[in-house]
Amino acid sequence: MADIILEMKSITKEFPGVKALDNVNLVVERGEIHALIGENGAGKSTLMNVLSGIYPVGTYTGEIYYDGQLCEFKTLRDSEAKGIVIIHQELALIPLLTIGENMFLGNEFKNKLGFIDWDRTYSEAEKHMKQVGLYESAQTLIKDIGTGKQQLVEIAKAFSKNVKLLILDEPTSSLNDEDAKMLLDLLIEFKKQGLTSIIITHKLNEIIYCADKATIIRDGATIETLVKGVDEFSEDRIIKGMVGRAMDDRYPEREHNIQPEVGLEVRNWTVHHPLYPERIVDDNISFTVHKGEVVGFSGLQGAGRTELAMSIFGKSYGTNISGELFINGKQVHLKNCEAAIKHGLAYVTEDRKTNGLILGESIRFNTTLPRLDKVCTNGVIDRDKEVKVAGDMTEAMGTKTPTIEQAVGNLSGGNQQKALLGKWMFTEPDVLILDEPTRGIDVGAKYDIYCLINQMVANGKSVIMISSEMPELLGMCDRIYVMNEGKLLAELNAKEATQEIIMGHIIRSTK
Amino acid sequence: MASKTKSVSVSKGGFAQKTLDFLRKYTMVIALVVVFILFYFLTNGRLLYAQNMSNLLLQNGYVLVMACGMLLCILTGGNIDLSVGSVICLVGGVAAVGITNLGWNPYLTVLLGLVIGLAVGVWQGYWIGFVRIPPFITTLAGMFIFRGLGRLVLDSKTVSIQDPRFLNLFTSYIKIPGLDNDERLLSPIVVGVVAAVYVIVSTYLSRANKAKKGYHQNSAAGDYGRSVIISAVILWYCWLLSQYKGISVMLVWVVAICLIYNFITSKTAFGRYFYAVGGNEKATKLSGIDTNKIYFAAYTNMGLLAGLCGLLCVARVGSVSGQTGTSFEMDAIGSCFIGGASAYGGSGTVGGVVIGALLLGVINMGMSIMGIGDSWQYVVKGGVLLIAVIFDVVSSRKAS
């Protein structure tokens, strides 16, 4: 009988309007490295949040058995007390505190008087740092060590909490190859000492290198668990599991009437990171979008797609942007978002809550915001006209809401997305850039949004669609550009492209 | 999910829900009425003497003007302007020294005062809007700098101002020949009746317009009830004014400023951008709005209004010293927050701010009439501010 350390049984977790996890099962044996894989939004992080108590008991259904006991975690602390420690993709370290302070933040050693016992703090910190092979003074500030070492601090911190099950969410995404390999070797070393790890990663070569088992999650459901040495354990096999869902009629038919005229052309577009100008985020990218065409951009998170779109949209991201931009055949220089909107560009942002909508304000307010001048005479808002156009737009988008005075924050995800789309449709764009237009919304709302996209191109507009969901791109686009690490890898005809081909391009360039 | 069900229950809710919504919407108005009644009894009715009621608005006029400007700053994200009191000292000082000591033309001096205020606003707005220096720090620096400059101008003395041409611009009372004479003052009554009729007629016209275009209507009882109450308050106040000196020019300034800013914030695209920036700056920027300019505008405008306040203050007090305007900014900030402006920005109205300022004003006046000293007034003001904001935070938390 295998020694099971963790068993998650039929976990189901719903968010308003969307089922993030549907009957997910996960079994982890003691002393193994278990990889959890799936596309962006498949539900990996949600599952780990359920496990660690970030989503407390009662907000999900299903059972968690840890060391054979039924666990009902109410907070992160409950799970940490059992030795389950999660290290998030975005490191939770405070840059201006020392390594030691960070490691014991919230669990400070105190002397009899209740003051912090600094000697003990730092000696304990250094003890755990040695365990993970980090030879620095515990009094070094976090900001003075590199990301690779910061990752080690997180692991050392986990050891200080007496970790038995270590969960790493994309631990190598911000590391270079050398640091990444060191980290993976460290995990293998810990495994020999009996530590169990769950690793979430997109980098399949890493999984092949270090994992014993891989559980694949897709659309919030477990697909299969592959075991090294038993099943075929190759990248191709894993990709197949990740993307192999049926392509039914989730995408509305449209007549393809791509016109010869080019709606948007980008030549030799290069963008540098706004904070670290030496880092190139988008490297010499050229592409075209015809009128009446839907063009997709595929790639993993951090491929530079959002950055590309935002830098085109009135330089709203990046520094040292170079390259040429043509709208309807004419070269344009867009110095800000206002200019971009005036030239018929619209960018429907990736994150509707933080970048897209003003949640506390009404649908009416949000809809007219980018082109308030359309409902104004001499700067004075014509309220009647505004109510009319916002109402019409809400109807055209099919947003479900009692009134247009409803605060958008009170709408479901799908309806928020429709309100956001309505806001940008209101600007009457010639080129519509959609960034993850269907993230976190249910199937019905997705279908509605696809129909709206079809309507746009039927009217001779150009649509750019950035999406991490490959089936969506394959189902909706005429052409697909594949990007990875800031480079344009390939241009594919959507009819001939498959998820395997796209993934293949990405994986080959990641190595 | 919870918020969604909540919103449905609001629209379909029964009597209890409606009462609750009504209470939430008009909390501060109710609080103002309650405080009025409380002090009416505590002062044995002296609070409502014509002289006191007339002074209530004149004493707090500068707070109202400042609060209108402060509201725009707060809307951008809970940002405040600490330098207002010092700017009052500087502008007031220049006006007093210029007119009294140097014999400047009072009209040009008024203009100069406004220009100085505007220049201060541009200076601070530039750092805050375009260089993104935190407003708190920029205006804290301004608070020191302009206080110091004001004292330099005054040479650390108290300078009085008596030029009637200057005072007439702000503190005289309007006398219309034919309506007003030594025995009776009819002009306030006439103004009151005109305003009251205007309120009711505009309500009627707006409802008729909505009906014609088939828009959603509030209940007739609600709309008319509201306008009748507003008209009654206007009439009552004007009647009180007719019992004591009539309409002050100062009152005209204050009412005009409040109406202008109410118009800007509720009816213009420019005004709406302040709400947008405070609601979600990133989204606003991506909607093609230059958010830097909005910050710049908020603080430039605050400077201009602070300049005007400086002139109003000098005229009302009659003299300026190095201490003039000390901690006035706090009254303006307090009024905004008591009046329901969000400390995180994005919400608040001029109407609310006026209510907030009046609430503070009534408390001050009531306690003064009762002979309770400054010290206790501070304690009570602070308490009211805290309670108002606690109420706001807790009720909005429940609502979401």
Side-chain angles (χ1 to χ4, degrees):
Chain A
M1 209 26 216
D3 182 8
I4 308 288
I5 183 167
L6 173 76
E7 186 168 12
M8 298 180 80
K9 274 190 187 163
S10 45
I11 304 289
T12 299
K13 165 85 189 163
E14 281 186 55
F15 291 109
V18 61
K19 215 172 210 182
L21 295 175
D22 189 3
N23 231 346
V24 171
N25 295 295
L26 178 68
V27 179
V28 180
E29 272 181 58
R30 195 179 305 280
E32 70 178 5
I33 298 179
H34 196 114
L36 200 57
I37 31 187
E39 290 181 286
N40 294 332
K44 296 162 295 183
S45 299
T46 312
L47 185 65
M48 290 304 106
N49 287 342
V50 166
L51 173 60
S52 60
I54 291 176
Y55 298 139
V57 65
T59 63
Y60 60 88
T61 59
E63 287 165 340
I64 301 172
Y65 291 93
Y66 177 74
D67 266 341
Q69 280 178 309
L70 177 65
C71 293
E72 297 188 326
F73 299 131
K74 291 190 188 69
T75 66
L76 196 59
R77 257 164 201 259
D78 292 349
S79 64
E80 283 183 355
K82 295 263 188 185
I84 302 175
V85 180
I86 182 162
I87 297 176
H88 289 280
Q89 188 175 0
E90 304 290 330
L91 297 181
L93 297 170
I94 297 163
L96 289 174
L97 293 185
T98 63
I99 296 176
E101 284 172 310
N102 266 287
M103 277 176 62
F104 295 102
L105 195 64
N107 296 306
E108 287 82 0
F109 293 112
K110 289 177 189 141
N111 63 20
K112 281 178 209 147
L113 294 171
F115 300 133
I116 292 176
D117 185 343
W118 288 113
D119 294 340
R120 184 147 174 238
T121 300
Y122 286 120
S123 75
E124 284 285 323
E126 276 168 25
K127 193 180 91 191
H128 293 302
M129 285 158 66
K130 277 197 192 97
Q131 270 184 299
V132 299
L134 178 60
Y135 297 97
E136 288 274 346
S137 159
Q139 303 198 36
T140 314
L141 296 184
I142 289 292
K143 71 177 176 65
D144 294 333
I145 59 176
T147 10
K149 286 181 175 171
Q150 289 179 7
Q151 191 69 255
L152 293 179
V153 172
E154 281 278 16
I155 297 173
K157 187 174 169 182
F159 276 101
S160 78
K161 291 172 182 165
N162 206 8
V163 61
K164 300 211 179 62
L165 174 61
L166 183 65
I167 303 162
L168 301 120
D169 192 351
E170 300 272 1
T172 60
S173 63
S174 53
L175 301 186
N176 60 32
D177 293 348
E178 206 176 316
D179 285 346
K181 178 151 188 315
M182 261 179 54
L183 183 72
L184 297 178
D185 286 337
L186 200 62
L187 285 184
I188 294 171
E189 187 59 37
F190 293 150
K191 185 179 90 174
K192 287 178 192 151
Q193 297 165 17
L195 180 76
T196 316
S197 323
I198 297 178
I199 176 168
I200 300 175
T201 177
H202 280 299
K203 298 186 182 171
L204 301 189
N205 55 335
E206 292 179 356
I207 295 170
I208 308 291
Y209 180 72
C210 74
D212 302 300
K213 280 186 202 159
T215 295
I216 299 169
I217 296 189
R218 197 168 70 209
D219 291 340
T222 26
I223 301 305
E224 55 190 340
T225 298
L226 302 172
V227 183
K228 197 185 250 174
V230 178
D231 300 292
E232 188 193 343
F233 208 75
S234 69
E235 290 183 16
D236 285 345
R237 177 68 189 80
I238 294 173
I239 291 173
K240 208 169 163 189
M242 278 168 74
V243 299
R245 70 191 118 189
M247 289 272 288
D248 38 18
D249 56 349
R250 285 198 281 153
Y251 307 98
E253 278 297 314
R254 83 163 173 268
E255 286 183 22
H256 294 269
N257 65 338
I258 303 168
Q259 298 166 18
E261 296 95 7
V262 174
L264 174 73
E265 181 173 2
V266 174
R267 283 189 204 153
N268 308 106
W269 198 257
T270 299
V271 180
H272 293 254
H273 194 278
L275 295 181
Y276 311 103
E278 68 281 2
R279 253 171 68 188
I280 294 176
V281 184
D282 289 302
D283 192 2
N284 201 21
I285 288 173
S286 302
F287 68 92
T288 54
V289 189
H290 289 266
K291 289 185 176 176
E293 186 182 34
V294 182
V295 168
F297 276 84
S298 184
L300 301 173
Q301 267 171 9
R305 298 167 301 163
T306 295
E307 292 79 1
L308 175 65
M310 288 184 74
S311 60
I312 291 171
F313 186 69
K315 301 191 174 169
S316 45
Y317 173 92
T319 51
N320 301 336
I321 299 168
S322 62
E324 293 171 324
L325 203 59
F326 299 83
I327 294 176
N328 295 330
K330 262 184 258 163
Q331 183 163 12
V332 291
H333 300 278
L334 307 175
K335 64 179 197 309
N336 55 34
C337 299
E338 190 185 356
I341 294 169
K342 288 265 151 69
H343 280 90
L345 269 183
Y347 171 60
V348 180
T349 47
E350 172 180 27
D351 188 334
R352 58 181 167 264
K353 288 191 177 175
T354 52
N355 294 336
L357 295 165
I358 299 174
L359 295 177
E361 297 289 354
S362 64
I363 299 180
R364 169 181 54 77
F365 186 111
N366 276 284
T367 303
T368 55
L369 188 63
R371 282 300 303 276
L372 254 185
D373 55 309
K374 277 171 69 178
V375 292
C376 282
T377 16
N378 301 324
V380 179
I381 298 168
D382 181 344
R383 178 62 79 107
D384 294 344
K385 195 171 174 188
E386 190 189 15
V387 168
K388 172 102 176 61
V389 295
D392 290 351
M393 192 50 81
T394 305
E395 202 170 308
M397 294 296 116
T399 317
K400 288 188 197 73
T401 173
T403 77
I404 56 165
E405 296 304 321
Q406 182 79 317
V408 289
N410 290 341
L411 300 174
S412 72
N415 282 317
Q416 281 183 4
Q417 192 67 25
K418 287 176 185 172
L420 179 61
L421 208 51
K423 161 180 166 177
W424 288 107
M425 289 295 190
F426 180 68
T427 67
E428 298 175 60
D430 293 325
V431 181
L432 181 68
I433 306 173
L434 299 162
D435 199 345
E436 302 287 356
T438 63
R439 174 171 292 168
I441 66 178
D442 60 57
V443 183
K446 280 185 187 179
Y447 191 87
D448 292 344
I449 285 174
Y450 299 143
C451 289
L452 291 168
I453 293 172
N454 284 352
Q455 222 177 334
M456 280 291 285
V457 288
N459 293 332
K461 312 292 184 196
S462 308
V463 174
I464 294 172
M465 193 167 169
I466 297 171
S467 176
S468 300
E469 288 190 39
M470 281 184 282
E472 174 175 280
L473 291 179
L474 293 168
M476 287 301 300
C477 298
D478 297 301
R479 276 184 302 134
I480 296 172
Y481 289 100
V482 184
M483 281 184 74
N484 196 32
E485 292 171 355
K487 291 195 173 63
L488 201 59
L489 302 177
E491 177 188 346
L492 308 169
N493 189 323
K495 280 197 201 88
E496 291 147 22
T498 62
Q499 301 185 51
E500 283 79 1
I501 293 176
I502 294 175
M503 228 2 163
H505 276 293
I506 294 170
I507 300 291
R508 275 199 296 281
S509 79
T510 305
K511 268 186 227 170
Chain B
M1 206 192 249
S3 60
K4 206 181 165 196
T5 48
K6 179 85 194 170
S7 63
V8 173
S9 71
V10 166
S11 53
K12 289 181 184 167
F15 179 73
Q17 185 64 47
K18 274 185 184 159
T19 314
L20 212 66
D21 287 345
F22 176 83
L23 286 179
R24 195 171 284 150
K25 195 173 169 192
Y26 294 108
T27 317
M28 283 306 140
V29 181
I30 295 164
L32 182 61
V33 171
V34 169
V35 169
F36 244 103
I37 294 170
L38 182 73
F39 279 108
Y40 176 78
F41 286 110
L42 287 175
T43 60
N44 297 322
R46 276 177 290 167
L47 178 70
L48 291 190
Y49 285 2
Q51 181 178 356
N52 287 334
M53 291 318 296
S54 172
N55 278 336
L56 177 65
L57 274 186
L58 301 185
Q59 266 171 17
N60 293 292
Y62 71 91
V63 179
L64 284 168
V65 173
M66 279 188 295
C68 286
M70 197 66 81
L71 176 67
L72 293 190
C73 298
I74 290 176
L75 281 180
T76 62
N79 300 310
I80 54 178
D81 187 337
L82 292 172
S83 69
V84 179
S86 300
V87 177
I88 287 174
C89 175
L90 173 62
V91 172
V94 168
V97 170
I99 294 173
T100 305
N101 296 0
L102 305 173
W104 290 352
N105 177 307
Y107 302 112
L108 290 178
T109 308
V110 166
L111 199 64
L112 178 68
L114 295 177
V115 169
I116 292 174
L118 190 67
V120 165
V122 168
W123 161 262
Q124 299 195 133
Y126 173 77
W127 296 118
I128 293 166
F130 297 112
V131 190
R132 290 300 172 123
I133 309 295
F136 189 94
I137 295 168
T138 310
T139 60
L140 182 65
M143 182 170 137
F144 294 136
I145 293 170
F146 303 122
R147 171 71 56 192
L149 291 178
R151 287 191 185 190
L152 284 174
V153 168
L154 288 162
D155 199 15
S156 301
K157 294 189 184 95
T158 300
V159 180
S160 68
I161 193 162
Q162 274 140 6
D163 189 311
R165 286 175 297 170
F166 178 80
L167 296 180
N168 279 343
L169 276 177
F170 299 106
T171 56
S172 63
Y173 288 84
I174 294 173
K175 294 272 187 310
I176 299 175
L179 285 177
D180 305 311
N181 56 38
D182 289 342
E183 277 111 54
R184 60 188 169 88
L185 292 162
L186 278 183
S187 59
I189 308 248
V190 172
V191 170
V193 170
V194 170
V197 168
Y198 173 79
V199 168
I200 291 179
V201 169
S202 69
T203 308
Y204 172 77
L205 289 179
S206 140
R207 285 186 62 85
N209 183 36
K210 278 185 178 171
K212 200 173 84 188
K213 296 189 178 165
Y215 294 136
H216 172 77
Q217 291 273 29
N218 295 320
S219 75
D223 276 358
Y224 285 116
R226 192 160 156 255
S227 53
V228 164
I229 290 175
I230 292 174
S231 305
V233 170
I234 292 174
L235 280 175
W236 168 71
Y237 192 73
C238 287
W239 178 76
L240 285 177
L241 290 183
S242 75
Q243 305 295 303
Y244 179 78
K245 290 190 181 175
I247 297 172
S248 162
V249 184
M250 174 98 83
L251 184 64
V252 176
W253 278 100
V254 171
V255 171
I257 294 283
C258 290
L259 289 178
I260 290 170
Y261 280 83
N262 185 45
F263 179 79
I264 291 175
T265 52
S266 65
K267 296 273 196 296
T268 67
F270 176 67
R272 178 166 294 180
Y273 293 154
F274 291 92
Y275 292 89
V277 168
N280 186 341
E281 190 183 343
K282 268 183 175 172
T284 306
K285 208 168 186 174
L286 287 170
S287 299
I289 292 151
D290 188 339
T291 52
N292 292 357
K293 280 187 192 153
I294 300 302
Y295 282 101
F296 177 75
Y299 283 91
T300 301
N301 170 71
M302 184 73 253
L304 177 64
L305 287 185
L308 177 61
C309 272
L311 299 171
L312 290 176
C313 275
V314 193
R316 178 152 176 88
V317 179
S319 67
V320 190
S321 77
Q323 292 303 312
T324 299
T326 306
S327 85
F328 277 18
E329 61 277 350
M330 295 305 166
D331 287 329
I333 295 166
S335 303
C336 287
F337 289 135
I338 291 175
S342 162
Y344 307 104
S347 81
T349 61
V350 170
V353 167
V354 170
I355 302 281
L358 288 181
L359 191 69
L360 281 184
V362 170
I363 291 171
N364 268 347
M365 175 168 274
M367 293 179 80
S368 298
I369 296 172
M370 290 166 69
I372 299 173
D374 264 9
S375 318
W376 277 111
Q377 292 188 18
Y378 276 115
V379 175
V380 173
K381 263 204 257 186
V384 169
L385 175 61
L386 187 63
I387 290 168
V389 176
I390 290 172
F391 184 86
D392 188 43
V393 169
V394 171
S395 71
S396 66
R397 190 180 298 156
K398 273 189 190 149
S400 61

